[in-house]
């Protein structure tokens, strides 16, 4: 399983933007599809809310790719 740490300088980042920023998906439309299709887990639970606020310490997983949110 590959893990990538994404640093943010705001309080949170939306799940769909996190997937785009990390390169897991190419577009916002693709992010919307994989999230609504139940392919994304947030902190181990399937999440279908593309606007889910991801804060420091939160982890999103899509297939074998994990994205962890960190802040400065």
């Amino acid at each position: 399983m590959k893990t990538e740490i994404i640093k943010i300088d705001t309080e949170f980042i939306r799940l769909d933007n996190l997937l785009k920023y990390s390169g897991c998906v190419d577009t916002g439309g693709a992010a919307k599809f994989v999230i609504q299709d139940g392919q994304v887990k947030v902190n181990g639970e399937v999440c279908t809310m593309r606007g889910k606020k991801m804060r420091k310490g939160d982890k999103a997983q899509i297939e074998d790719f994990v994205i962890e949110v960190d802040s400065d």
Side-chain angles (χ1 to χ4, degrees):
M1 201 168 291
K2 181 183 176 198
T3 301
E4 182 175 346
I5 296 173
I6 299 291
K7 289 196 177 281
I8 60 172
D9 57 6
T10 56
E11 179 185 348
F12 64 87
I13 184 171
R14 286 176 29 148
L15 178 58
D16 56 352
N17 290 332
L18 180 67
L19 295 180
K20 284 192 307 185
Y21 186 71
S22 68
C24 285
V25 296
D26 294 327
T27 65
K32 176 182 175 181
F33 176 77
V34 297
I35 293 167
Q36 290 182 340
D37 197 41
Q39 298 179 41
V40 179
K41 289 183 179 180
V42 172
N43 299 325
E45 306 266 331
V46 172
C47 180
T48 56
M49 298 182 307
R50 70 181 190 192
K52 168 82 174 151
K53 293 178 181 177
M54 302 291 291
R55 293 181 165 82
K56 181 178 179 176
D58 285 339
K59 294 180 183 179
Q61 179 181 345
I62 181 168
E63 296 178 359
D64 288 338
F65 194 74
V66 176
I67 309 138
E68 183 173 348
V69 179
D70 195 5
S71 61
D72 293 330

